[in-house]
Amino acid sequence: MRPLDPRLLRYAHAARRFLLIGALLGFAQTLVVIAFAWLLTRTITLTAAGESLSTIMSTLAALACVVVVRSVLIWLLEVAANRGAAQVKSQLRARVMAKLAERGPDWVASQQSARLSTVVTTGLDALDNYFARYLPQLLLTMIATPILIAVILWQDLASGLTVIIVIPLIPVFMILIGKVTQSVQQEQWKALQRLSTGFLDVVGGLGTLKIYGRERRQFDRIRSITEEYRTRTMKVLRVSFLSGFVLELAASLSVALIAVSIGLRLIDGALLLGVGLFVLLLAPEAFLPLRQVGAQFHAAADGLAAAEELFTILDDDSVATVPAVSTADAAAGAGLAFPYAGQLGQAAGALRLEGVTVRRGDSVVIDQLHAEFAPGELSVLRGVSGVGKSTLVAALLGFVPCTGALTLGGVAVAAGATRPWLAWSGQRPGLFRGTVAENVALGAASAEPGRIVQALDWAGAAEVLPSTVLGVNGDGLSGGQAQRVAAARAIYRALATECHVLILDEPSSALDSDAEARLLAGLRHLADQGRIVIVVSHRPAVVAAADRVIELQELIHV
């Protein structure tokens, strides 16, 4: 774990602004510390010399002002740190969420959902300590310590050389302790991830576990993981307290060495009281930022470990999208939305696949597929289970890399380009807590009640009221109703944004014949408006209602 990861500056621009503000405040705070030490020294020397109170009052007033200014600077640095932490967390969350959306559900499904959610939520929240405690002290170490050493050297060469000789001892102890801290912190982070994953798995399958009477065993497992996490947390705390003691001891001995040297020279008369007192007041301030960096490193370790996980997600280009086209029109694909948005009809053109090949690892799932989906038609993709229907849909959505030519109206669709001309609904409803209307209008800037009702009607869910409040994962609806509400979400997007292409993956697998007929009637309305409607299904009623059926054949791997 590096003290300041350059990737933090690359992915979160707010961190750069905080470093600039923190450096300015740290420099001002250093000047105030020097002024405080000088004014306090002058006050003591004047008092020792027997000067009158009226003579000392001006120095005391200046000293009080310096104390107030220093307090204000400390407060401003803390405010800047807290605001910087909030902005950096917001930017990093936005970055990682955009990255997850770019990679699509196929990649996300291959990861541990608990790990991703822990990194994005609890993990990033730990950056508060990194910005509020650790980074300000790191800035002060880089700014204040060299300046204070220079002032000490200027006032007393012997004390300055002593500081230069003994101050490297603290970084040496920090490095040794840091290696131990990194090891125990990583183990604690892994234990937290295991706890999150295990708890999520148990909650998700609690109903099944209860049916088969296996919930007690999982209770014991969760208790065991929790105990492991508690043990590792206590180990981290022990290392933290031990490291704090070692750093304080090293700094105290260093300051004591300087104090003894100054005291002996004061007795000998080789050093003036004012100079000796001034240097003695500055010496602890020279060591303080470095001591605090070591002490606060442990408070920031959680955030650094989580940030490392997050940067791994952001930096991993192993699943980068392969260019889907090699034609000269690829550059126009990114702007494909504007020629077609709001211009439905035959003029928009067909969606064509020419020699499209999709791979899953080393296996070819779709090989050299040639297909055409015409506007105004209801097209059905069918084939045996595992033949690659959902994989082809993922490739059309841009979630899975593919090769070949994919064009809409003769214009190539670029790989990685957004597809505002496309609306879709997957096999899983993906509903959340809230009203049906909020679920249907998900992602829209403003909900249109009339279109929400129309979308539900065309999805065959007219009996579901938009005001119905759903629980987590759509609790409150039957499986068929949840499926139709998810289809209504895609239909609403097609109606609200004039999407040219609508794709539904197994939208009627949990529907009875009447509900399926109502859904097919709604899809026919959408096709009659000039849209390309693609349905993945093997249901006889859906195939019978189709204008075009594309049969995917299973590949034989030799």
Side-chain angles (χ1 to χ4, degrees):
M1 292 184 290
R2 289 170 282 186
L4 181 60
D5 198 318
R7 293 174 294 181
L8 183 65
L9 305 180
R10 185 167 75 248
Y11 290 124
H13 299 296
R16 304 177 188 178
R17 183 165 57 252
F18 166 71
L19 288 179
L20 177 60
I21 296 174
L24 294 175
L25 292 174
F27 179 72
Q29 191 171 333
T30 304
L31 297 181
V32 170
V33 167
I34 296 173
F36 172 80
W38 183 81
L39 289 171
L40 183 58
T41 300
R42 181 171 174 79
T43 301
I44 294 174
T45 54
L46 288 176
T47 303
E51 298 290 340
S52 63
L53 183 61
S54 58
T55 305
I56 303 175
M57 279 302 297
S58 59
T59 305
L60 285 174
L63 183 62
C65 292
V66 167
V67 171
V68 173
V69 172
R70 185 177 184 182
S71 301
V72 171
L73 289 174
I74 293 174
W75 174 76
L76 288 176
L77 186 58
E78 185 175 352
V79 170
N82 289 327
R83 291 185 177 180
Q87 292 173 349
V88 167
K89 289 192 300 181
S90 178
Q91 291 179 357
L92 289 178
R93 282 198 177 101
R95 285 263 189 177
V96 73
M97 294 305 293
K99 193 71 173 181
L100 295 179
E102 175 187 330
R103 295 190 171 173
D106 195 61
W107 182 86
V108 173
S110 67
Q111 306 295 310
Q112 291 184 354
S113 57
R115 169 179 170 266
L116 294 177
S117 60
T118 301
V119 169
V120 177
T121 55
T122 308
L124 279 182
D125 285 338
L127 283 177
D128 287 334
N129 289 330
Y130 177 77
F131 277 89
R133 300 181 184 179
Y134 176 74
L135 208 52
Q137 296 303 323
L138 184 63
L139 291 173
L140 286 175
T141 300
M142 298 171 62
I143 297 171
T145 301
I147 295 176
L148 293 174
I149 292 176
V151 173
I152 293 173
L153 282 171
W154 173 46
Q155 292 292 312
D156 181 22
L157 182 61
S159 297
L161 292 176
T162 303
V163 173
I164 293 176
I165 292 172
V166 300
I167 205 169
L169 294 176
I170 296 179
V172 170
F173 283 120
M174 288 172 58
I175 293 172
L176 295 177
I177 297 170
K179 291 182 177 180
V180 179
T181 303
Q182 180 178 0
S183 176
V184 297
Q185 190 65 48
Q186 288 292 343
E187 292 300 322
Q188 184 204 27
W189 177 251
K190 292 177 182 177
L192 176 60
Q193 288 183 326
R194 285 195 295 270
L195 177 60
S196 303
T197 302
F199 183 75
L200 184 64
D201 290 342
V202 169
V203 171
L206 191 57
T208 305
L209 292 171
K210 188 70 176 177
I211 292 172
Y212 289 98
R214 306 292 287 180
E215 71 277 3
R216 184 68 189 182
R217 183 175 181 180
Q218 293 302 318
F219 172 79
D220 294 337
R221 175 172 171 266
I222 293 295
R223 183 172 59 184
S224 173
I225 299 175
T226 304
E227 180 63 22
E228 179 190 1
Y229 179 64
R230 185 196 66 81
T231 303
R232 295 196 180 280
T233 301
M234 294 304 298
K235 187 175 183 180
V236 171
L237 291 176
R238 284 197 299 271
V239 173
S240 299
F241 285 124
L242 178 62
S243 63
F245 169 75
V246 171
L247 293 176
E248 289 293 334
L249 180 62
S252 299
L253 291 176
S254 302
V255 174
L257 184 62
I258 296 172
V260 169
S261 172
I262 291 176
L264 292 175
R265 284 183 291 155
L266 284 175
I267 295 174
D268 190 48
L271 190 67
L272 297 176
L273 174 62
V275 175
L277 188 56
F278 180 59
V279 170
L280 192 58
L281 289 172
L282 287 182
E285 297 290 346
F287 287 101
L288 181 61
L290 201 55
R291 286 160 47 199
Q292 290 298 321
V293 164
Q296 299 301 336
F297 175 80
H298 305 284
D302 281 343
L304 290 173
E308 187 68 28
E309 290 274 348
L310 185 139
F311 293 145
T312 301
I313 296 173
L314 293 176
D315 291 340
D316 184 12
D317 294 325
S318 60
V319 292
T321 304
V322 179
V325 292
S326 57
T327 65
D329 294 330
L336 194 60
F338 63 79
Y340 301 107
Q343 299 179 15
L344 297 175
Q346 298 295 331
L351 178 65
R352 291 187 176 87
L353 287 71
E354 299 177 5
V356 170
T357 299
V358 185
R359 294 177 177 271
R360 295 277 192 180
D362 296 330
S363 302
V364 177
V365 181
I366 306 292
D367 187 22
Q368 294 293 317
L369 177 64
H370 296 268
E372 178 178 329
F373 303 95
E377 290 186 354
L378 174 60
S379 302
V380 173
L381 280 172
R382 73 172 183 175
V384 298
S385 180
V387 76
K389 302 185 295 296
S390 296
T391 298
L392 179 59
V393 170
L396 293 175
L397 295 171
F399 294 153
V400 175
C402 63
T403 57
L406 176 62
T407 62
L408 178 60
V411 180
V413 179
T418 57
R419 288 159 167 76
W421 41 268
L422 188 150
W424 76 289
S425 175
Q427 294 184 18
R428 297 182 179 180
L431 305 181
F432 59 90
R433 184 182 181 88
T435 64
V436 169
E438 290 171 341
N439 277 272
V440 171
L442 178 65
S446 59
E448 301 177 52
R451 278 189 171 154
I452 291 175
V453 173
Q454 183 182 7
L456 287 169
D457 183 30
W458 285 10
E463 76 280 3
V464 180
L465 297 178
S467 59
T468 303
V469 178
L470 306 181
V472 178
N473 293 328
D475 184 40
L477 297 178
S478 66
Q481 286 176 325
Q483 199 170 47
R484 283 176 286 166
V485 170
R489 177 189 294 163
I491 293 173
Y492 177 86
R493 172 174 165 79
L495 293 173
T497 62
E498 293 292 337
C499 288
H500 184 59
V501 180
L502 174 66
I503 301 177
L504 302 177
D505 193 352
E506 299 285 0
S508 62
S509 59
L511 304 185
D512 57 34
S513 57
D514 291 338
E516 187 177 48
R518 293 196 299 270
L519 172 62
L520 291 174
L523 297 181
R524 175 56 61 188
H525 288 312
L526 291 165
D528 290 342
Q529 291 179 345
R531 290 182 176 84
I532 298 173
V533 180
I534 304 172
V535 180
V536 176
S537 180
H538 60 272
R539 303 262 295 194
V542 178
V543 175
D547 299 306
R548 185 190 304 258
V549 177
I550 298 175
E551 184 86 26
L552 294 183
Q553 301 295 329
E554 188 173 7
L555 296 178
I556 300 177
H557 301 281
V558 180

